[in-house]
Amino acid sequence: MPMQRERLRTLTDRWRARHDAQRSDHRPAADPARETLAARAFPYASMEPAAYVAEHGTDMIAFTYDDVRYADPELDAWLHEVGHLLRLRR
């Protein structure tokens, strides 16, 4: 089992490195379904990004919600900050 976990960690680290290398300041608009899901899934109106990352960050292995831009500026800023904080934790 420990070797499987190490292999998964290696693959995850490799995916993160490739994903981060492809990041751009230009983020395409989120499709309406993703925006609806994000607004329902994240407590952006009631919890600070840092508090959310402190509580859930270790479980957020492949966060991609900050890859796109959201029409709701509060949701967009919140998700962008969560992504930033998660990258800093690595």
Side-chain angles (χ1 to χ4, degrees):
M1 194 68 125
M3 293 200 53
Q4 290 174 339
R5 287 181 192 256
E6 185 58 35
R7 175 77 174 139
L8 179 58
R9 187 180 350 265
T10 298
L11 292 172
T12 300
D13 290 346
R14 194 176 349 173
W15 177 87
R16 283 177 174 161
R18 283 194 315 264
H19 181 262
D20 289 351
Q22 295 172 359
R23 287 189 58 78
S24 168
D25 288 337
H26 172 72
R27 296 178 297 140
D31 65 68
R34 185 171 179 99
E35 179 132 8
T36 298
L37 179 62
R40 288 182 182 162
F42 295 103
Y44 68 99
S46 62
M47 184 179 242
E48 292 296 317
Y52 187 82
V53 169
E55 188 172 331
H56 301 285
T58 56
D59 299 324
M60 301 173 77
I61 295 169
F63 186 79
T64 60
Y65 277 89
D66 62 332
D67 288 348
V68 294
R69 153 179 64 73
Y70 299 87
D72 178 338
E74 187 178 350
L75 175 62
D76 185 62
W78 194 92
L79 290 169
H80 196 279
E81 180 64 10
V82 166
H84 173 73
L85 293 171
L86 288 170
R87 284 187 298 283
L88 288 178
R89 288 173 61 113
R90 292 192 218 140

